[in-house]
Amino acid sequence: MIILNSVDEFRHRYHSARKWQRCLEAIANLPKLKPGVCHSIGDTLVYRLVDGQAAAAPSFTGNRRYVEIHCYLSGGETIAYAPKSSLTRLAPYSDETDRETFSGGCAHSHTASAGQLLIFDNDYAYQPQGSSHLRKLVLMVTVEGATFHNK
């Protein structure tokens, strides 16, 4: 997992590739977003706004075809994360949802706050611990070379 402290830090670090530029387009689109509605830009980015109370997740979640980015706008939450290799798979990988679930001990945790971005690559799984108020943008960016069987 990568922790960035601002959108400017993200912009500075990931300015060259088109898929990262699309993330910045999505962030700029925030005033037009309604919570829970999925949007996309091109074929490399899907994103949605989360706003309100967030329940603790019962298990760790990981992806294979997407890198998941959480951009915190207000409120915050603690996220447990661990390498997938250190966890026990609970259910087989679903190609339809690009999700796999795991159980196991937390290797690390981080309490995210407004302004921060957390980037979960494909080697890690994460488990939100819940929040009484949370406003964040969740961006799903395709991994280079990922294929989509439904296209």
mmCIF file of all heavy atoms in Angstrom, residues 69-118:
data_model
loop_
_atom_site.group_PDB
_atom_site.id
_atom_site.type_symbol
_atom_site.label_atom_id
_atom_site.label_comp_id
_atom_site.label_asym_id
_atom_site.label_seq_id
_atom_site.Cartn_x
_atom_site.Cartn_y
_atom_site.Cartn_z
ATOM 1 N N ILE A 69 -7.720 2.960 -5.433
ATOM 2 C CA ILE A 69 -7.251 4.192 -4.789
ATOM 3 C C ILE A 69 -8.405 4.774 -3.986
ATOM 4 O O ILE A 69 -9.511 4.932 -4.510
ATOM 5 C CB ILE A 69 -6.774 5.224 -5.831
ATOM 6 C CG1 ILE A 69 -5.662 4.638 -6.694
ATOM 7 C CG2 ILE A 69 -6.325 6.509 -5.142
ATOM 8 C CD1 ILE A 69 -5.305 5.488 -7.892
ATOM 9 N N HIS A 70 -8.151 5.092 -2.721
ATOM 10 C CA HIS A 70 -9.139 5.757 -1.879
ATOM 11 C C HIS A 70 -8.643 7.173 -1.637
ATOM 12 O O HIS A 70 -7.575 7.369 -1.046
ATOM 13 C CB HIS A 70 -9.308 5.031 -0.546
ATOM 14 C CG HIS A 70 -9.867 3.654 -0.687
ATOM 15 N ND1 HIS A 70 -10.454 2.987 0.354
ATOM 16 C CD2 HIS A 70 -9.943 2.800 -1.734
ATOM 17 C CE1 HIS A 70 -10.865 1.795 -0.046
ATOM 18 N NE2 HIS A 70 -10.541 1.663 -1.325
ATOM 19 N N CYS A 71 -9.418 8.146 -2.090
ATOM 20 C CA CYS A 71 -9.084 9.562 -1.939
ATOM 21 C C CYS A 71 -10.023 10.139 -0.877
ATOM 22 O O CYS A 71 -11.224 10.296 -1.119
ATOM 23 C CB CYS A 71 -9.260 10.264 -3.284
ATOM 24 S SG CYS A 71 -8.949 12.033 -3.246
ATOM 25 N N TYR A 72 -9.491 10.465 0.290
ATOM 26 C CA TYR A 72 -10.301 10.893 1.431
ATOM 27 C C TYR A 72 -10.600 12.384 1.356
ATOM 28 O O TYR A 72 -9.692 13.202 1.271
ATOM 29 C CB TYR A 72 -9.594 10.537 2.743
ATOM 30 C CG TYR A 72 -9.598 9.049 2.953
ATOM 31 C CD1 TYR A 72 -8.601 8.244 2.401
ATOM 32 C CD2 TYR A 72 -10.625 8.431 3.638
ATOM 33 C CE1 TYR A 72 -8.631 6.874 2.542
ATOM 34 C CE2 TYR A 72 -10.666 7.058 3.790
ATOM 35 C CZ TYR A 72 -9.664 6.292 3.233
ATOM 36 O OH TYR A 72 -9.710 4.933 3.368
ATOM 37 N N LEU A 73 -11.889 12.712 1.406
ATOM 38 C CA LEU A 73 -12.342 14.093 1.275
ATOM 39 C C LEU A 73 -12.694 14.703 2.626
ATOM 40 O O LEU A 73 -12.394 15.859 2.891
ATOM 41 C CB LEU A 73 -13.546 14.148 0.341
ATOM 42 C CG LEU A 73 -13.301 13.490 -1.026
ATOM 43 C CD1 LEU A 73 -14.595 13.341 -1.794
ATOM 44 C CD2 LEU A 73 -12.263 14.258 -1.808
ATOM 45 N N SER A 74 -13.375 13.937 3.475
ATOM 46 C CA SER A 74 -13.666 14.367 4.847
ATOM 47 C C SER A 74 -13.883 13.129 5.701
ATOM 48 O O SER A 74 -14.130 12.042 5.191
ATOM 49 C CB SER A 74 -14.883 15.295 4.907
ATOM 50 O OG SER A 74 -16.051 14.626 4.544
ATOM 51 N N GLY A 75 -13.794 13.313 7.003
ATOM 52 C CA GLY A 75 -13.863 12.170 7.897
ATOM 53 C C GLY A 75 -12.600 11.346 7.749
ATOM 54 O O GLY A 75 -11.584 11.818 7.256
ATOM 55 N N GLY A 76 -12.657 10.130 8.167
ATOM 56 C CA GLY A 76 -11.504 9.252 8.060
ATOM 57 C C GLY A 76 -11.887 7.848 8.478
ATOM 58 O O GLY A 76 -13.007 7.607 8.936
ATOM 59 N N GLU A 77 -10.969 6.937 8.289
ATOM 60 C CA GLU A 77 -11.198 5.557 8.701
ATOM 61 C C GLU A 77 -9.852 4.862 8.863
ATOM 62 O O GLU A 77 -8.859 5.258 8.260
ATOM 63 C CB GLU A 77 -12.075 4.805 7.696
ATOM 64 C CG GLU A 77 -11.415 4.501 6.384
ATOM 65 C CD GLU A 77 -12.313 3.772 5.398
ATOM 66 O OE1 GLU A 77 -13.232 3.047 5.818
ATOM 67 O OE2 GLU A 77 -12.088 3.936 4.196
ATOM 68 N N THR A 78 -9.871 3.842 9.695
ATOM 69 C CA THR A 78 -8.692 3.005 9.853
ATOM 70 C C THR A 78 -8.821 1.828 8.894
ATOM 71 O O THR A 78 -9.886 1.216 8.798
ATOM 72 C CB THR A 78 -8.559 2.516 11.303
ATOM 73 O OG1 THR A 78 -8.420 3.665 12.148
ATOM 74 C CG2 THR A 78 -7.349 1.615 11.476
ATOM 75 N N ILE A 79 -7.751 1.570 8.184
ATOM 76 C CA ILE A 79 -7.699 0.480 7.210
ATOM 77 C C ILE A 79 -6.607 -0.490 7.632
ATOM 78 O O ILE A 79 -5.457 -0.090 7.813
ATOM 79 C CB ILE A 79 -7.353 1.008 5.799
ATOM 80 C CG1 ILE A 79 -8.362 2.033 5.327
ATOM 81 C CG2 ILE A 79 -7.178 -0.132 4.817
ATOM 82 C CD1 ILE A 79 -9.526 1.479 4.591
ATOM 83 N N ALA A 80 -6.971 -1.745 7.808
ATOM 84 C CA ALA A 80 -5.972 -2.794 8.021
ATOM 85 C C ALA A 80 -5.552 -3.282 6.641
ATOM 86 O O ALA A 80 -6.371 -3.346 5.725
ATOM 87 C CB ALA A 80 -6.572 -3.936 8.830
ATOM 88 N N TYR A 81 -4.276 -3.624 6.485
ATOM 89 C CA TYR A 81 -3.820 -4.145 5.195
ATOM 90 C C TYR A 81 -2.686 -5.125 5.414
ATOM 91 O O TYR A 81 -1.969 -5.062 6.418
ATOM 92 C CB TYR A 81 -3.416 -3.017 4.240
ATOM 93 C CG TYR A 81 -2.299 -2.132 4.731
ATOM 94 C CD1 TYR A 81 -0.990 -2.324 4.285
ATOM 95 C CD2 TYR A 81 -2.533 -1.093 5.619
ATOM 96 C CE1 TYR A 81 0.043 -1.511 4.715
ATOM 97 C CE2 TYR A 81 -1.504 -0.275 6.060
ATOM 98 C CZ TYR A 81 -0.226 -0.472 5.600
ATOM 99 O OH TYR A 81 0.795 0.333 6.028
ATOM 100 N N ALA A 82 -2.574 -6.053 4.471
ATOM 101 C CA ALA A 82 -1.562 -7.098 4.587
ATOM 102 C C ALA A 82 -1.273 -7.658 3.198
ATOM 103 O O ALA A 82 -2.138 -7.624 2.320
ATOM 104 C CB ALA A 82 -2.061 -8.217 5.497
ATOM 105 N N PRO A 83 -0.071 -8.194 3.009
ATOM 106 C CA PRO A 83 0.196 -8.884 1.740
ATOM 107 C C PRO A 83 -0.749 -10.075 1.602
ATOM 108 O O PRO A 83 -1.009 -10.792 2.570
ATOM 109 C CB PRO A 83 1.644 -9.361 1.891
ATOM 110 C CG PRO A 83 2.221 -8.560 3.005
ATOM 111 C CD PRO A 83 1.085 -8.198 3.905
ATOM 112 N N LYS A 84 -1.280 -10.279 0.408
ATOM 113 C CA LYS A 84 -2.182 -11.408 0.182
ATOM 114 C C LYS A 84 -1.512 -12.730 0.539
ATOM 115 O O LYS A 84 -2.162 -13.644 1.037
ATOM 116 C CB LYS A 84 -2.616 -11.454 -1.282
ATOM 117 C CG LYS A 84 -3.534 -10.354 -1.703
ATOM 118 C CD LYS A 84 -3.865 -10.558 -3.183
ATOM 119 C CE LYS A 84 -4.616 -9.424 -3.776
ATOM 120 N NZ LYS A 84 -4.858 -9.648 -5.219
ATOM 121 N N SER A 85 -0.215 -12.805 0.304
ATOM 122 C CA SER A 85 0.514 -14.051 0.569
ATOM 123 C C SER A 85 0.518 -14.423 2.051
ATOM 124 O O SER A 85 0.733 -15.581 2.394
ATOM 125 C CB SER A 85 1.954 -13.933 0.057
ATOM 126 O OG SER A 85 2.616 -12.861 0.703
ATOM 127 N N SER A 86 0.247 -13.455 2.942
ATOM 128 C CA SER A 86 0.227 -13.745 4.376
ATOM 129 C C SER A 86 -1.174 -14.054 4.897
ATOM 130 O O SER A 86 -1.353 -14.330 6.077
ATOM 131 C CB SER A 86 0.813 -12.566 5.158
ATOM 132 O OG SER A 86 -0.077 -11.458 5.126
ATOM 133 N N LEU A 87 -2.178 -14.010 4.021
ATOM 134 C CA LEU A 87 -3.568 -14.204 4.410
ATOM 135 C C LEU A 87 -4.106 -15.538 3.884
ATOM 136 O O LEU A 87 -3.495 -16.156 3.019
ATOM 137 C CB LEU A 87 -4.427 -13.060 3.863
ATOM 138 C CG LEU A 87 -4.033 -11.650 4.330
ATOM 139 C CD1 LEU A 87 -4.802 -10.598 3.540
ATOM 140 C CD2 LEU A 87 -4.260 -11.488 5.822
ATOM 141 N N THR A 88 -5.263 -15.954 4.405
ATOM 142 C CA THR A 88 -5.922 -17.179 3.963
ATOM 143 C C THR A 88 -7.105 -16.807 3.082
ATOM 144 O O THR A 88 -7.975 -16.036 3.491
ATOM 145 C CB THR A 88 -6.429 -17.976 5.188
ATOM 146 O OG1 THR A 88 -5.316 -18.258 6.031
ATOM 147 C CG2 THR A 88 -7.104 -19.260 4.760
ATOM 148 N N ARG A 89 -7.157 -17.361 1.873
ATOM 149 C CA ARG A 89 -8.249 -17.068 0.940
ATOM 150 C C ARG A 89 -9.548 -17.673 1.477
ATOM 151 O O ARG A 89 -9.609 -18.840 1.819
ATOM 152 C CB ARG A 89 -7.922 -17.638 -0.437
ATOM 153 C CG ARG A 89 -8.911 -17.234 -1.514
ATOM 154 C CD ARG A 89 -8.544 -17.769 -2.884
ATOM 155 N NE ARG A 89 -7.126 -17.790 -3.153
ATOM 156 C CZ ARG A 89 -6.427 -16.774 -3.672
ATOM 157 N NH1 ARG A 89 -7.044 -15.661 -3.960
ATOM 158 N NH2 ARG A 89 -5.136 -16.884 -3.879
ATOM 159 N N LEU A 90 -10.605 -16.858 1.532
ATOM 160 C CA LEU A 90 -11.918 -17.313 2.011
ATOM 161 C C LEU A 90 -12.798 -17.830 0.886
ATOM 162 O O LEU A 90 -13.624 -18.713 1.101
ATOM 163 C CB LEU A 90 -12.655 -16.167 2.712
ATOM 164 C CG LEU A 90 -12.076 -15.704 4.043
ATOM 165 C CD1 LEU A 90 -12.816 -14.475 4.536
ATOM 166 C CD2 LEU A 90 -12.159 -16.827 5.069
ATOM 167 N N ALA A 91 -12.664 -17.235 -0.284
ATOM 168 C CA ALA A 91 -13.490 -17.626 -1.430
ATOM 169 C C ALA A 91 -12.650 -17.491 -2.691
ATOM 170 O O ALA A 91 -11.727 -16.681 -2.726
ATOM 171 C CB ALA A 91 -14.722 -16.731 -1.520
ATOM 172 N N PRO A 92 -12.971 -18.256 -3.713
ATOM 173 C CA PRO A 92 -12.205 -18.152 -4.956
ATOM 174 C C PRO A 92 -12.329 -16.759 -5.568
ATOM 175 O O PRO A 92 -13.327 -16.061 -5.365
ATOM 176 C CB PRO A 92 -12.845 -19.192 -5.880
ATOM 177 C CG PRO A 92 -13.770 -19.986 -5.062
ATOM 178 C CD PRO A 92 -14.030 -19.236 -3.793
ATOM 179 N N TYR A 93 -11.350 -16.386 -6.337
ATOM 180 C CA TYR A 93 -11.359 -15.117 -7.057
ATOM 181 C C TYR A 93 -12.553 -15.085 -8.011
ATOM 182 O O TYR A 93 -12.849 -16.063 -8.681
ATOM 183 C CB TYR A 93 -10.056 -14.974 -7.844
ATOM 184 C CG TYR A 93 -10.054 -13.807 -8.805
ATOM 185 C CD1 TYR A 93 -9.926 -12.506 -8.336
ATOM 186 C CD2 TYR A 93 -10.190 -14.016 -10.165
ATOM 187 C CE1 TYR A 93 -9.922 -11.439 -9.216
ATOM 188 C CE2 TYR A 93 -10.189 -12.948 -11.055
ATOM 189 C CZ TYR A 93 -10.049 -11.657 -10.573
ATOM 190 O OH TYR A 93 -10.053 -10.601 -11.441
ATOM 191 N N SER A 94 -13.243 -13.940 -8.067
ATOM 192 C CA SER A 94 -14.358 -13.758 -8.991
ATOM 193 C C SER A 94 -13.918 -12.852 -10.130
ATOM 194 O O SER A 94 -13.607 -11.678 -9.908
ATOM 195 C CB SER A 94 -15.560 -13.137 -8.281
ATOM 196 O OG SER A 94 -16.535 -12.748 -9.235
ATOM 197 N N ASP A 95 -13.908 -13.390 -11.333
ATOM 198 C CA ASP A 95 -13.561 -12.611 -12.505
ATOM 199 C C ASP A 95 -14.616 -11.538 -12.783
ATOM 200 O O ASP A 95 -14.307 -10.485 -13.328
ATOM 201 C CB ASP A 95 -13.402 -13.540 -13.712
ATOM 202 C CG ASP A 95 -12.824 -12.832 -14.907
ATOM 203 O OD1 ASP A 95 -11.798 -12.156 -14.748
ATOM 204 O OD2 ASP A 95 -13.410 -12.951 -15.996
ATOM 205 N N GLU A 96 -15.852 -11.786 -12.390
ATOM 206 C CA GLU A 96 -16.938 -10.827 -12.629
ATOM 207 C C GLU A 96 -16.804 -9.578 -11.775
ATOM 208 O O GLU A 96 -17.141 -8.484 -12.213
ATOM 209 C CB GLU A 96 -18.289 -11.479 -12.365
ATOM 210 C CG GLU A 96 -18.641 -12.536 -13.380
ATOM 211 C CD GLU A 96 -19.964 -13.199 -13.069
ATOM 212 O OE1 GLU A 96 -20.624 -12.827 -12.069
ATOM 213 O OE2 GLU A 96 -20.334 -14.109 -13.834
ATOM 214 N N THR A 97 -16.346 -9.727 -10.554
ATOM 215 C CA THR A 97 -16.240 -8.574 -9.654
ATOM 216 C C THR A 97 -14.803 -8.110 -9.432
ATOM 217 O O THR A 97 -14.588 -7.071 -8.822
ATOM 218 C CB THR A 97 -16.830 -8.914 -8.272
ATOM 219 O OG1 THR A 97 -16.062 -9.981 -7.687
ATOM 220 C CG2 THR A 97 -18.292 -9.299 -8.376
ATOM 221 N N ASP A 98 -13.842 -8.891 -9.908
ATOM 222 C CA ASP A 98 -12.427 -8.645 -9.647
ATOM 223 C C ASP A 98 -12.171 -8.529 -8.139
ATOM 224 O O ASP A 98 -11.450 -7.662 -7.675
ATOM 225 C CB ASP A 98 -11.910 -7.399 -10.362
ATOM 226 C CG ASP A 98 -10.390 -7.266 -10.205
ATOM 227 O OD1 ASP A 98 -9.689 -8.279 -10.361
ATOM 228 O OD2 ASP A 98 -9.907 -6.159 -9.907
ATOM 229 N N ARG A 99 -12.766 -9.417 -7.388
ATOM 230 C CA ARG A 99 -12.602 -9.410 -5.936
ATOM 231 C C ARG A 99 -12.181 -10.789 -5.467
ATOM 232 O O ARG A 99 -12.605 -11.806 -5.998
ATOM 233 C CB ARG A 99 -13.915 -9.069 -5.243
ATOM 234 C CG ARG A 99 -14.416 -7.692 -5.502
ATOM 235 C CD ARG A 99 -13.921 -6.766 -4.417
ATOM 236 N NE ARG A 99 -14.636 -5.515 -4.445
ATOM 237 C CZ ARG A 99 -14.059 -4.365 -4.759
ATOM 238 N NH1 ARG A 99 -12.808 -4.308 -5.053
ATOM 239 N NH2 ARG A 99 -14.764 -3.262 -4.755
ATOM 240 N N GLU A 100 -11.365 -10.784 -4.445
ATOM 241 C CA GLU A 100 -11.077 -11.999 -3.693
ATOM 242 C C GLU A 100 -11.046 -11.602 -2.232
ATOM 243 O O GLU A 100 -10.665 -10.487 -1.884
ATOM 244 C CB GLU A 100 -9.777 -12.661 -4.154
ATOM 245 C CG GLU A 100 -8.579 -11.755 -4.246
ATOM 246 C CD GLU A 100 -7.416 -12.399 -4.980
ATOM 247 O OE1 GLU A 100 -7.337 -13.641 -5.043
ATOM 248 O OE2 GLU A 100 -6.564 -11.662 -5.474
ATOM 249 N N THR A 101 -11.532 -12.489 -1.371
ATOM 250 C CA THR A 101 -11.609 -12.178 0.056
ATOM 251 C C THR A 101 -10.680 -13.095 0.842
ATOM 252 O O THR A 101 -10.443 -14.242 0.461
ATOM 253 C CB THR A 101 -13.048 -12.307 0.580
ATOM 254 O OG1 THR A 101 -13.534 -13.616 0.285
ATOM 255 C CG2 THR A 101 -13.954 -11.269 -0.057
ATOM 256 N N PHE A 102 -10.187 -12.538 1.942
ATOM 257 C CA PHE A 102 -9.197 -13.226 2.761
ATOM 258 C C PHE A 102 -9.503 -13.023 4.239
ATOM 259 O O PHE A 102 -10.159 -12.067 4.627
ATOM 260 C CB PHE A 102 -7.799 -12.640 2.503
ATOM 261 C CG PHE A 102 -7.332 -12.723 1.082
ATOM 262 C CD1 PHE A 102 -7.618 -11.713 0.182
ATOM 263 C CD2 PHE A 102 -6.577 -13.801 0.652
ATOM 264 C CE1 PHE A 102 -7.174 -11.776 -1.127
ATOM 265 C CE2 PHE A 102 -6.128 -13.881 -0.646
ATOM 266 C CZ PHE A 102 -6.426 -12.862 -1.548
ATOM 267 N N SER A 103 -8.961 -13.915 5.045
ATOM 268 C CA SER A 103 -8.958 -13.739 6.494
ATOM 269 C C SER A 103 -7.516 -13.829 6.951
ATOM 270 O O SER A 103 -6.647 -14.296 6.228
ATOM 271 C CB SER A 103 -9.812 -14.805 7.188
ATOM 272 O OG SER A 103 -9.229 -16.085 7.010
ATOM 273 N N GLY A 104 -7.303 -13.377 8.162
ATOM 274 C CA GLY A 104 -5.960 -13.454 8.713
ATOM 275 C C GLY A 104 -5.663 -12.247 9.568
ATOM 276 O O GLY A 104 -6.501 -11.366 9.751
ATOM 277 N N GLY A 105 -4.457 -12.227 10.059
ATOM 278 C CA GLY A 105 -4.033 -11.139 10.928
ATOM 279 C C GLY A 105 -3.639 -9.906 10.150
ATOM 280 O O GLY A 105 -3.201 -9.981 9.012
ATOM 281 N N CYS A 106 -3.811 -8.802 10.795
ATOM 282 C CA CYS A 106 -3.464 -7.517 10.200
ATOM 283 C C CYS A 106 -1.958 -7.310 10.290
ATOM 284 O O CYS A 106 -1.391 -7.324 11.377
ATOM 285 C CB CYS A 106 -4.201 -6.415 10.949
ATOM 286 S SG CYS A 106 -3.595 -4.771 10.629
ATOM 287 N N ALA A 107 -1.313 -7.141 9.162
ATOM 288 C CA ALA A 107 0.128 -6.871 9.165
ATOM 289 C C ALA A 107 0.387 -5.412 9.537
ATOM 290 O O ALA A 107 1.336 -5.106 10.240
ATOM 291 C CB ALA A 107 0.725 -7.190 7.803
ATOM 292 N N HIS A 108 -0.490 -4.525 9.036
ATOM 293 C CA HIS A 108 -0.342 -3.090 9.271
ATOM 294 C C HIS A 108 -1.722 -2.451 9.329
ATOM 295 O O HIS A 108 -2.697 -3.016 8.830
ATOM 296 C CB HIS A 108 0.434 -2.423 8.128
ATOM 297 C CG HIS A 108 1.732 -3.078 7.812
ATOM 298 N ND1 HIS A 108 2.869 -2.895 8.551
ATOM 299 C CD2 HIS A 108 2.071 -3.934 6.819
ATOM 300 C CE1 HIS A 108 3.851 -3.601 8.033
ATOM 301 N NE2 HIS A 108 3.394 -4.251 6.980
ATOM 302 N N SER A 109 -1.774 -1.241 9.870
ATOM 303 C CA SER A 109 -2.997 -0.451 9.772
ATOM 304 C C SER A 109 -2.610 1.011 9.640
ATOM 305 O O SER A 109 -1.517 1.421 10.025
ATOM 306 C CB SER A 109 -3.921 -0.673 10.973
ATOM 307 O OG SER A 109 -3.348 -0.135 12.137
ATOM 308 N N HIS A 110 -3.530 1.769 9.058
ATOM 309 C CA HIS A 110 -3.311 3.198 8.875
ATOM 310 C C HIS A 110 -4.645 3.894 9.061
ATOM 311 O O HIS A 110 -5.666 3.443 8.546
ATOM 312 C CB HIS A 110 -2.767 3.485 7.469
ATOM 313 C CG HIS A 110 -2.626 4.945 7.181
ATOM 314 N ND1 HIS A 110 -1.614 5.699 7.713
ATOM 315 C CD2 HIS A 110 -3.396 5.785 6.450
ATOM 316 C CE1 HIS A 110 -1.750 6.947 7.308
ATOM 317 N NE2 HIS A 110 -2.823 7.033 6.538
ATOM 318 N N THR A 111 -4.642 4.998 9.789
ATOM 319 C CA THR A 111 -5.843 5.803 9.933
ATOM 320 C C THR A 111 -5.761 6.938 8.926
ATOM 321 O O THR A 111 -4.955 7.852 9.076
ATOM 322 C CB THR A 111 -6.000 6.332 11.369
ATOM 323 O OG1 THR A 111 -6.056 5.211 12.263
ATOM 324 C CG2 THR A 111 -7.266 7.155 11.510
ATOM 325 N N ALA A 112 -6.578 6.829 7.896
ATOM 326 C CA ALA A 112 -6.582 7.814 6.819
ATOM 327 C C ALA A 112 -7.409 9.022 7.232
ATOM 328 O O ALA A 112 -8.411 8.898 7.932
ATOM 329 C CB ALA A 112 -7.157 7.200 5.557
ATOM 330 N N SER A 113 -6.983 10.187 6.778
ATOM 331 C CA SER A 113 -7.699 11.425 7.084
ATOM 332 C C SER A 113 -7.883 12.240 5.811
ATOM 333 O O SER A 113 -7.294 11.937 4.767
ATOM 334 C CB SER A 113 -6.928 12.225 8.136
ATOM 335 O OG SER A 113 -5.631 12.524 7.668
ATOM 336 N N ALA A 114 -8.692 13.278 5.915
ATOM 337 C CA ALA A 114 -9.007 14.124 4.763
ATOM 338 C C ALA A 114 -7.732 14.594 4.075
ATOM 339 O O ALA A 114 -6.775 15.017 4.724
ATOM 340 C CB ALA A 114 -9.838 15.321 5.201
ATOM 341 N N GLY A 115 -7.732 14.487 2.759
ATOM 342 C CA GLY A 115 -6.596 14.900 1.955
ATOM 343 C C GLY A 115 -5.698 13.754 1.529
ATOM 344 O O GLY A 115 -4.997 13.857 0.528
ATOM 345 N N GLN A 116 -5.718 12.658 2.267
ATOM 346 C CA GLN A 116 -4.837 11.543 1.945
ATOM 347 C C GLN A 116 -5.408 10.657 0.842
ATOM 348 O O GLN A 116 -6.616 10.588 0.644
ATOM 349 C CB GLN A 116 -4.575 10.684 3.181
ATOM 350 C CG GLN A 116 -3.693 11.362 4.204
ATOM 351 C CD GLN A 116 -3.256 10.412 5.295
ATOM 352 O OE1 GLN A 116 -4.018 9.564 5.750
ATOM 353 N NE2 GLN A 116 -2.009 10.572 5.732
ATOM 354 N N LEU A 117 -4.503 9.974 0.150
ATOM 355 C CA LEU A 117 -4.858 8.969 -0.842
ATOM 356 C C LEU A 117 -4.144 7.684 -0.459
ATOM 357 O O LEU A 117 -2.946 7.705 -0.157
ATOM 358 C CB LEU A 117 -4.419 9.380 -2.247
ATOM 359 C CG LEU A 117 -5.152 10.557 -2.876
ATOM 360 C CD1 LEU A 117 -4.484 11.863 -2.531
ATOM 361 C CD2 LEU A 117 -5.187 10.372 -4.369
ATOM 362 N N LEU A 118 -4.877 6.573 -0.435
ATOM 363 C CA LEU A 118 -4.290 5.259 -0.187
ATOM 364 C C LEU A 118 -4.381 4.465 -1.478
ATOM 365 O O LEU A 118 -5.451 4.391 -2.089
ATOM 366 C CB LEU A 118 -5.030 4.528 0.929
ATOM 367 C CG LEU A 118 -5.166 5.235 2.275
ATOM 368 C CD1 LEU A 118 -5.821 4.307 3.288
ATOM 369 C CD2 LEU A 118 -3.832 5.723 2.787
#
